[in-house]
Amino acid sequence: MTHLNHLAPPEPAPLGSPDWHVTAFLGPQPGTGDHAPLDAVRDLRARILFDHGRRPAFLRADGTPVDDQDLDFGAWHFIARRSPAGPPLGYIRLSTPDTGALFQSRAYLGAARYEELLAAEGFAEPEVFEHSRLVVEHRARKLGLGQYLNALAIAAAHHLGARAMIGTSGTKDGQDRFHERFGFRPVPGTRRYVPQYTEDVVIMLHRVADGAGRHHDLVTRLRDEFPVIATAGIGADSPVRQGSPTAPVSLTTAAAPDHDVWQPVLFTPAEPAGLDGLNRLLASDAVREVHDTLDDQLTELVRSREPACRDTAEIARKKRDQLAGLEPWEYGTWAWYPWSGRLVHLLPREEFRLVRTDRNRGRIERPEQRRLFGKRIGVIGLSVGNSAALTFALEGIGGAFKLADFDEFGLSNLNRLRAGVHHLGVNKAVLSARQMFEVDPYLDIEIQRDGLTPDTIEEFFGGGLDLLVEECDTPWVKVAAREYARDLGIPVVMDCNDRGMLDVERFDREPDRPLLHGLLGDVKSVDLLELGPQEKVDLVLAMVDAELISPELAASFGELGRTLSSWPQLASGVALGGALCGEAARRILLGRTCESGRFYTDLEQQLRPSRDVYAGGVR
């Protein structure tokens, strides 16, 4: 067995990221050789792919994981672990042309279209390899293991003589963009939804002659190391050997939280696929709590539609009519929240939203509610932006969202963000998406965990936005986001978390409006990529207008890096900012009065005795 030390992850990883110990074996043919290692990697894959119920197809009816594929026979299998005695943390498969008839990409496209694609690209089938089933335990994903294993499979294909590589890729969590960084490109016209994976899938193609993208150097190094790994084989001390001792439960291994999962899984038991998925989930023992208040929700639905209906018998009749012959457990949706282990029974989407926003009426009428649910909103920066995003979700402002933040929720955020100590270490975009889905599981949310960079900003604005909430601390992001918004005619709102300051920039009406009210002059985002610390402070002061900020904030700038780690922010100010952004957003999206400008709701001023409307006696 060979230990491959991975000291320089191809993607940025935390300092002190581990060495990777890698083993590989060539899968036996059916009915020959030792199948124990193959059975073990199949169990590993299935457990990770099941992902706490996100993909119920990877669980048998008896609750055991399943991912048995004929493509495993004759393929190369790579397993990575952190230490010689540690458990497997990641895996990838490389299929050679010998099993080309079984390639997943061939099955996905159909034989005829697959052969047409290769011919159009100038490749013969014996020249094409396929890599697939890249799976990594959640606790190893931020350590660069996924990038390393992907590079290793590509390197092995290069060594074995591939001229091209092909594969299917998910898209929900940016897997397709991940592969693009290795020189793969999506094949136009091949993207479609695949129920087994509960997401859109696309064919990706890689030309060996074009190199391996930004990871070319790593792939080149691993190409030369592959023969050593292949010759060593799986070894007696393989991480997938049968009968390995189980590590004792300890504080370092027990119940490790999943910091990456953020999407609920919705089951509709009135449909066969939904019922099957629900049964698989319940058989998995992953459900910690079941919440079923459907009967109360139906009562609220009747009263929302007919507020004057108070007769108990009449309400019961209308509830039976609503069920339309279904058993109560069959009606509506079961929402599975894998990060908490909760399974919740809810009304169908339209009825759920009708009841949930019923108390909005009188302020936001139902036609306006429907208009708002049809809007797509972007939120950049999920500290102060978290308050805005949650306010939008609660109030029904927007039915689709794009959230971007590179930062993780830390202990010092607990003075102003609505979260708990068990959320420490969770990416802020992930945390916000979870919280919003717990308000409304029917929302459409996309996240960018790397924040906005020159490589990702175009994708963030792709697909269109009706409104942008910008709450990022980075000067480049502030200016670049507004440049995109102005070019695309997207209105921008921003809360400053000081003196209740709200910025509104109506680029939808004013395509030539200066960014940030002209406070920065003709500055361009490209000029802000390499700012020093003091330059950033000076720029932020110019953005907020140093003459108008509160005395407390003004005094803090001179203490940054000395007595203060960052500028002061309070929960009350963040909550107020969410309210101000919500009010402005609702007005803009419904066509009500909300002009460009900078506005203050300064509580220091509002709570002065002179503002008391009853000063001098009750009126």
Side-chain angles (χ1 to χ4, degrees):
M1 139 131 208
T2 296
H3 300 315
L4 243 180
N5 293 322
H6 175 37
L7 299 178
E11 288 289 336
L15 293 176
S17 58
D19 300 349
W20 298 118
H21 302 266
V22 178
T23 55
F25 68 94
L26 187 64
Q29 295 300 321
T32 66
D34 181 10
H35 285 220
L38 191 57
D39 293 339
V41 297
R42 284 172 162 177
D43 288 344
L44 171 71
R45 287 184 337 216
R47 179 172 51 78
I48 298 175
L49 287 166
F50 177 64
D51 197 7
H52 304 280
R54 175 178 168 185
R55 301 184 186 95
F58 290 96
L59 205 69
R60 296 185 180 93
D62 64 2
T64 58
V66 58
D67 185 35
D68 298 347
Q69 292 188 313
D70 290 342
L71 194 55
D72 291 328
F73 298 111
W76 281 99
H77 303 267
F78 300 89
I79 309 101
R81 55 182 177 170
R82 187 169 182 172
S83 64
L89 295 176
Y91 163 89
I92 195 168
R93 176 178 65 197
L94 176 67
S95 300
T96 71
D98 292 339
T99 57
L102 300 175
F103 280 5
Q104 290 187 157
S105 47
R106 185 186 188 98
Y108 178 87
L109 291 172
R113 191 177 180 194
Y114 175 82
E115 293 165 6
E116 289 172 3
L117 172 61
L118 296 192
E121 296 287 342
F123 298 120
E125 291 189 45
E127 300 171 324
V128 181
F129 287 59
E130 181 183 73
H131 75 323
S132 55
R133 284 303 193 261
L134 172 61
V135 295
V136 177
E137 293 279 15
H138 285 286
R139 62 182 180 274
R141 291 182 184 177
K142 292 189 178 181
L143 302 178
L145 179 54
Q147 291 90 334
Y148 182 70
L149 282 171
N150 209 49
L152 179 56
I154 296 169
H158 287 199
H159 177 87
L160 293 169
R163 286 191 60 221
M165 294 182 70
I166 197 169
T168 57
S169 173
T171 59
K172 184 179 290 184
D173 294 325
Q175 303 98 309
D176 50 335
R177 300 191 300 277
F178 167 83
H179 290 298
E180 287 177 4
R181 294 196 285 271
F182 289 86
F184 282 77
R185 60 176 175 82
V187 177
T190 63
R191 179 168 174 161
R192 71 169 186 268
Y193 181 76
V194 177
Q196 181 185 14
Y197 300 103
T198 67
E199 63 183 299
D200 282 357
V201 170
V202 67
I203 293 289
M204 306 290 290
L205 187 68
H206 164 70
R207 289 177 173 270
V208 173
D210 293 341
R214 70 171 67 175
H215 301 306
H216 181 76
D217 291 344
L218 177 66
V219 169
T220 300
R221 174 169 68 82
L222 293 178
R223 181 190 63 197
D224 298 332
E225 295 179 2
F226 167 71
V228 180
I229 306 170
T231 302
I234 192 163
D237 59 345
S238 161
V240 296
R241 70 186 185 274
Q242 299 297 295
S244 298
T246 301
V249 175
S250 69
L251 290 175
T252 60
T253 60
D258 186 344
H259 285 174
D260 293 318
V261 63
W262 54 278
Q263 295 167 299
V265 182
L266 306 184
F267 301 98
T268 308
E271 300 172 359
L275 179 57
D276 181 63
L278 183 60
N279 283 330
R280 287 174 179 270
L281 172 65
L282 292 170
S284 72
D285 293 327
V287 178
R288 292 178 53 228
E289 301 173 10
V290 176
H291 298 263
D292 188 354
T293 62
L294 187 75
D295 187 67
D296 293 336
Q297 295 173 47
L298 287 168
T299 300
E300 286 194 83
L301 176 62
V302 172
R303 290 178 174 171
S304 295
R305 286 172 169 167
E306 303 179 47
C309 183
R310 294 293 175 179
D311 180 75
T312 303
E314 182 65 11
I315 290 174
R317 184 188 66 78
K318 291 181 180 294
K319 287 161 62 174
R320 288 193 299 272
D321 291 345
Q322 186 68 34
L323 291 173
L326 293 176
E327 292 295 323
W329 67 266
E330 294 179 282
Y331 182 77
T333 301
W334 289 86
W336 160 238
Y337 294 97
W339 54 89
S340 65
R342 295 187 178 101
L343 181 63
V344 187
H345 195 187
L346 299 169
L347 294 169
R349 186 181 71 172
E350 297 307 318
E351 288 81 358
F352 172 85
R353 287 180 169 171
L354 185 148
V355 175
R356 196 183 72 76
T357 60
D358 185 57
R359 295 289 294 273
N360 286 358
R361 289 194 299 153
R363 299 293 300 273
I364 310 173
E365 301 303 336
R366 282 178 178 159
E368 294 174 319
Q369 293 176 16
R370 289 191 287 270
R371 285 175 59 191
L372 289 173
F373 275 123
K375 303 298 184 180
R376 180 180 296 272
I377 298 170
V379 185
I380 305 171
L382 275 305
S383 289
V384 175
N386 171 271
S387 179
L390 281 179
T391 298
F392 290 6
L394 288 165
E395 204 161 292
I397 303 172
F401 294 86
K402 285 190 172 183
L403 311 179
D405 199 313
F406 68 90
D407 199 14
E408 293 181 352
F409 182 69
L411 187 57
S412 62
N413 297 131
L414 266 172
N415 79 316
R416 62 193 185 279
L417 267 69
R418 189 188 69 81
V421 292
H422 57 291
H423 293 123
L424 295 173
V426 178
N427 173 272
K428 291 176 181 176
V430 169
L431 175 59
S432 298
R434 288 180 178 181
Q435 293 172 330
M436 295 166 74
F437 275 130
E438 287 176 350
V439 171
D440 183 347
Y442 299 109
L443 291 173
D444 176 4
I445 301 177
E446 301 173 55
I447 67 171
Q448 288 191 191
R449 281 177 265 209
D450 296 328
L452 286 199
T453 69
D455 292 332
T456 63
I457 190 168
E458 186 171 352
E459 178 190 352
F460 182 82
F461 283 93
L465 294 174
D466 296 296
L467 179 82
L468 175 66
V469 178
E470 189 282 300
E471 298 291 352
C472 183
D473 293 336
T474 307
W476 177 86
V477 174
K478 285 187 172 295
V479 175
R482 283 169 171 79
E483 289 172 343
Y484 269 83
R486 183 170 62 182
D487 289 345
L488 296 170
I490 301 169
V492 178
V493 298
M494 176 187 73
D495 165 67
C496 183
N497 198 229
D498 181 64
R499 293 190 60 209
M501 190 198 91
L502 175 72
D503 261 11
V504 178
E505 295 168 275
R506 296 299 303 269
F507 297 127
D508 54 326
R509 294 180 176 177
E510 305 166 71
D512 299 320
R513 183 177 180 81
L515 305 184
L516 287 159
H517 317 297
L519 290 168
L520 302 183
D522 195 30
V523 69
K524 302 291 191 297
S525 61
V526 69
D527 302 324
L528 308 180
L529 287 169
E530 302 294 338
L531 294 180
Q534 187 57 48
E535 291 175 304
K536 291 182 179 179
V537 169
D538 293 342
L539 197 68
V540 171
L541 278 170
M543 289 181 186
V544 298
D545 194 341
E547 295 183 1
L548 295 177
I549 61 178
S550 67
E552 295 84 359
L553 182 60
S556 73
F557 276 95
E559 298 300 318
L560 294 177
R562 296 176 62 247
T563 63
L564 295 177
S565 59
S566 186
W567 42 72
Q569 295 177 304
L570 296 177
S572 53
V574 171
L576 176 61
L580 294 173
C581 288
E583 181 71 22
R586 187 176 69 251
R587 289 173 175 271
I588 291 170
L589 296 173
L590 292 178
R592 298 176 182 173
T593 301
C594 189
E595 303 299 331
S596 294
R598 177 163 288 180
F599 309 93
Y600 290 89
T601 306
D602 189 347
L603 297 184
E604 178 72 22
Q605 300 290 330
Q606 295 297 325
L607 295 177
R608 288 184 176 181
S610 60
R611 303 292 296 178
D612 178 9
V613 299
Y614 294 126
V618 176
R619 291 189 290 185

